[in-house]
Amino acid sequence: MSQTFLEFERPIGELMSKIDDLRHLSNSSDINISQEIARLEQETIHLTERIFAKLTPWQKTLLSRHPDRPLTTDYLETVFSDFKELHGDRVYGDDESIIGGLAILDDTDVMVIGQEKGRGTKDKVRRNFGMPKPEGYRKALRLMKLAEKFKLPVICLIDTPGAYPGKGAEERGQAEAIARNLKEMTVLNIPIISVIIGEGGSGGALALGMGNRVLMMQYATYSVISPEGCASILWKDASKADLASEALRLTAPDILELKVIDEIIPEPIGGAHRNPEETAMLLKRHLIHHLRELRRKTPKNLIKERFDKFMAMGMVLEGSNNL
């Protein structure tokens, strides 16, 4: 269980600390304080429910970035089995911010591709903090094409602040790599399920997001720009990120209302980081359900439904010229 507490989670952390102290006292003496521990545990549940019932979009953004939130590598161990990683884009190199390979979901062979932020300083640097470069997206597309060749469903796990904006990435064709993924994913004749498990940042997320089903974890976010980036543009002040997050409508309920995603995957009380095992079970259950539905469809229908789905997004507003 996570032991890192965000500012708004601190009252929960204080109660949990009291429970730990009482347990330690109970183990080191003959005093029976099990009833008091049970009472505090119930109080912790109620407090967590009250706090999480009124989270702001900015607080949900912080949850989507929580340092203990399950990552792609965690789900590869808990949701899938027999994962075999495949490396390289066959053009430039191997981008470790995107992990992909063959795996088994329940009893079905699948291709899993996910963005990985890493844990710990060395791992985060190696993974480039989950910000893929062009070779990462080209690797992802190579694996999707390989999956199509062997008629394997593709499952994409999205968790990135955005594509890496560095000079080298631009020189190697970052925009082209993302655009090609969008184009090619629309015509793959296999089932594709995309899940936003944490941050869904800009085109860097969308490059893996063209699924027949797009799912989103309850406290994940999905946006064209980060709240800090938006605030820097609108108000020249990144500290107004909380205001920007309100305007961006980046939370799961907002995105579902806008029909950009198909379903919200619920998280355990207190968020995915408080109970990773239950979170993995919930994710697995939803993936199996949607994959079972999609595998009944013909390749032609998969392509048509995916194309129609994304073409139907958005709206045109007509009004006077002085708007």
Side-chain angles (χ1 to χ4, degrees), residues 20-46:
D20 288 340
D21 290 342
L22 286 176
R23 283 188 179 135
H24 179 73
L25 178 63
S26 178
N27 291 335
S28 60
S29 69
D30 296 330
I31 303 174
N32 186 355
I33 49 179
S34 58
Q35 287 186 339
E36 179 63 13
I37 292 174
R39 185 189 68 79
L40 286 176
E41 286 176 336
Q42 200 63 31
E43 186 178 337
T44 302
I45 292 173
H46 292 155

Side-chain angles (χ1 to χ4, degrees), residues 2-270:
S2 167
Q3 293 301 315
T4 304
F5 294 92
L6 301 174
E7 184 66 32
F8 64 88
E9 294 180 296
R10 283 189 179 178
I12 302 169
E14 290 170 1
L15 272 178
M16 293 176 68
S17 180
K18 286 181 182 178
I19 293 170
D20 288 340
D21 290 342
L22 286 176
R23 283 188 179 135
H24 179 73
L25 178 63
S26 178
N27 291 335
S28 60
S29 69
D30 296 330
I31 303 174
N32 186 355
I33 49 179
S34 58
Q35 287 186 339
E36 179 63 13
I37 292 174
R39 185 189 68 79
L40 286 176
E41 286 176 336
Q42 200 63 31
E43 186 178 337
T44 302
I45 292 173
H46 292 155
L47 177 61
T48 304
E49 288 174 342
R50 289 197 300 272
I51 290 174
F52 275 70
K54 54 182 181 180
L55 292 177
T56 66
W58 176 239
Q59 288 171 330
K60 290 181 180 180
T61 300
L62 295 177
L63 278 177
S64 75
R65 303 169 176 174
H66 198 287
D68 298 325
R69 190 172 179 84
L71 304 173
T72 289
T73 46
D74 298 314
Y75 291 127
L76 289 174
E77 294 178 358
T78 55
V79 174
F80 305 92
S81 61
D82 201 26
F83 175 69
K84 298 292 187 298
E85 185 174 1
L86 301 174
H87 297 272
D89 68 342
R90 303 297 187 267
V91 176
Y92 180 83
D94 185 40
D95 184 351
E96 294 189 77
S97 64
I98 288 186
I99 298 176
L102 301 166
I104 299 174
L105 174 64
D106 200 23
D107 59 352
T108 303
D109 293 327
V110 297
M111 182 72 76
V112 187
I113 304 166
Q115 290 152 329
E116 172 65 24
K117 290 181 174 180
R119 289 206 197 282
T121 304
K122 286 185 178 179
D123 194 32
K124 287 180 179 180
V125 170
R126 182 165 67 95
R127 306 288 187 183
N128 202 34
F129 299 86
M131 295 184 290
K133 299 173 184 176
E135 50 270 24
Y137 293 116
R138 288 172 181 142
K139 173 170 72 171
L141 182 57
R142 180 178 76 83
L143 298 186
M144 291 181 204
K145 290 285 192 179
L146 185 64
E148 184 180 45
K149 179 178 180 179
F150 292 101
K151 298 180 172 57
L152 300 176
V154 171
I155 295 173
C156 297
L157 303 179
I158 297 168
D159 188 16
T160 178
Y164 183 62
K167 180 182 177 184
E170 296 299 332
E171 289 175 341
R172 295 194 297 278
Q174 184 73 287
E176 187 275 340
I178 292 173
R180 183 172 294 276
N181 275 32
L182 301 182
K183 175 179 179 291
E184 297 290 345
M185 287 183 78
T186 60
V187 294
L188 289 176
N189 61 17
I190 50 176
I192 306 173
I193 301 176
S194 299
V195 188
I196 301 103
I197 60 172
E199 278 189 282
S202 192
L206 191 58
L208 297 183
M210 302 288 285
N212 293 94
R213 297 284 190 277
V214 182
L215 315 179
M216 189 170 175
M217 302 299 292
Q218 184 177 359
Y219 298 118
T221 56
Y222 200 19
S223 177
V224 69
I225 191 173
S226 71
E228 295 91 336
C230 180
S232 296
I233 293 171
L234 293 181
W235 299 294
K236 312 298 181 186
D237 185 358
S239 68
K240 293 185 178 180
D242 56 335
L243 295 177
S245 63
E246 295 275 353
L248 284 169
R249 301 192 67 185
L250 43 63
T251 67
D254 286 329
I255 300 297
L256 182 64
E257 183 182 344
L258 294 169
K259 299 181 180 180
V260 174
I261 61 171
D262 300 293
E263 188 177 14
I264 298 172
I265 301 175
E267 297 185 24
I269 180 172

